[in-house]
Amino acid sequence: MKTKTLVTLYAVGGFAAALIAAAAYFARTVEQAAARTADAGALVRFHSPSLGDAGAKVHIVEFLDPACETCRAFYPYVKEFLHANPGRVRISIRYAPFHPGSEDVVRMLEAAKRQGKYWEALEALLAAQPQWVIRHQANLDLAWQSIRHLGLNAEQLNRDMQSPEITRVIQQDIQDAVSLNVTQTPEFFVNGRPMPSFGYEQLRALVERALREQYG
């Protein structure tokens, strides 16, 4: 009788422990899901420049510093993802201007966007980066020399660079970078997932995983 009672008690206790563990797991899952949802709101904003089909189901978000040498090195790989998967992949750019003077170059990029020359300006700046980044510091005058061939209106560009709207864009991107724990550039998120560690292979694996999940 005592043995049967103990077995019953152990069974009840085990079941209760399982319920408690399941409840704790569910609570953690809900908290993690809420955190992912909150982070997703900071991943991309309406002002973020995007390239690729708006309906693409694989979305790469890159936090970029135009003065960052590694951003320059990664840019061709990111463009290759777009070209290799037309209609399936798009990219959005966010700013994390960590280098001295880089914020002014970001202002220049945003001003170029108002003249319809954002991507041309970004690619020209990245291509000529060694000429306008001196000892890890951005030189705005030299950066301008890298994009002047694009036919931009210089007066309008200078005026737009000082606009409060562009200031708010930069402040929002920096705020979101902090909330997402972006501490270096480039930093990539693919469909909301950050890279587990930095590297091209890690980025490629994230993109391929997202492609499989979304397109089979």
Side-chain angles (χ1 to χ4, degrees):
M1 186 70 173
K2 288 182 179 179
T3 301
K4 188 178 292 185
T5 302
L6 285 174
V7 170
T8 303
L9 287 173
Y10 279 130
V12 172
F15 180 72
L19 283 178
I20 292 170
Y25 175 79
F26 178 77
R28 285 197 304 274
T29 303
V30 170
E31 289 173 0
Q32 290 168 358
R36 284 196 297 271
T37 301
D39 287 345
L43 273 175
V44 66
R45 302 288 179 176
F46 73 94
H47 61 251
S48 304
S50 291
L51 190 63
D53 193 324
K57 296 180 181 180
V58 176
H59 190 188
I60 303 171
V61 176
E62 177 181 1
F63 280 83
L64 172 145
D65 181 337
C68 164
E69 185 176 351
T70 311
C71 294
R72 177 176 183 260
F74 263 73
Y75 188 75
Y77 297 128
V78 176
K79 287 290 291 292
E80 180 56 30
F81 291 138
L82 293 176
H83 294 321
N85 300 279
R88 296 186 171 196
V89 175
R90 69 185 175 108
I91 181 171
S92 295
I93 298 294
R94 308 298 305 280
Y95 301 117
F98 294 145
H99 286 71
S102 184
E103 183 175 321
D104 289 333
V105 180
V106 169
R107 289 180 179 276
M108 183 184 289
L109 277 169
E110 283 295 303
K113 183 169 73 174
R114 294 187 174 193
Q115 297 187 40
K117 295 291 183 70
Y118 178 83
W119 294 101
E120 296 92 332
L122 176 61
E123 294 192 4
L125 283 167
L126 291 177
Q129 189 190 80
Q131 280 73 58
W132 58 268
V133 178
I134 312 299
R135 290 187 291 275
H136 304 290
Q137 182 165 343
N139 183 301
L140 184 62
D141 290 335
L142 294 177
W144 162 246
Q145 297 302 318
S146 303
I147 65 169
R148 64 182 305 170
H149 68 281
L150 298 177
L152 294 161
N153 182 315
E155 290 185 8
Q156 181 184 340
L157 190 85
N158 287 326
R159 189 165 54 248
D160 288 342
M161 284 175 64
Q162 309 308 318
S163 72
E165 291 83 3
I166 286 180
T167 297
R168 284 193 287 271
V169 164
I170 296 171
Q171 289 175 343
Q172 182 67 72
D173 279 17
I174 291 173
Q175 179 181 327
D176 288 340
V178 170
S179 71
L180 292 165
N181 198 31
V182 174
T183 58
Q184 62 182 4
T185 55
E187 180 68 77
F188 295 96
F189 297 82
V190 181
N191 284 5
R193 294 190 185 103
M195 291 193 298
S197 59
F198 184 76
Y200 168 71
E201 289 301 324
Q202 292 89 324
L203 176 59
R204 183 178 59 80
L206 270 185
V207 173
E208 290 180 351
R209 174 182 175 182
L211 286 168
R212 287 193 302 270
E213 290 175 345
Q214 298 299 325
Y215 296 102

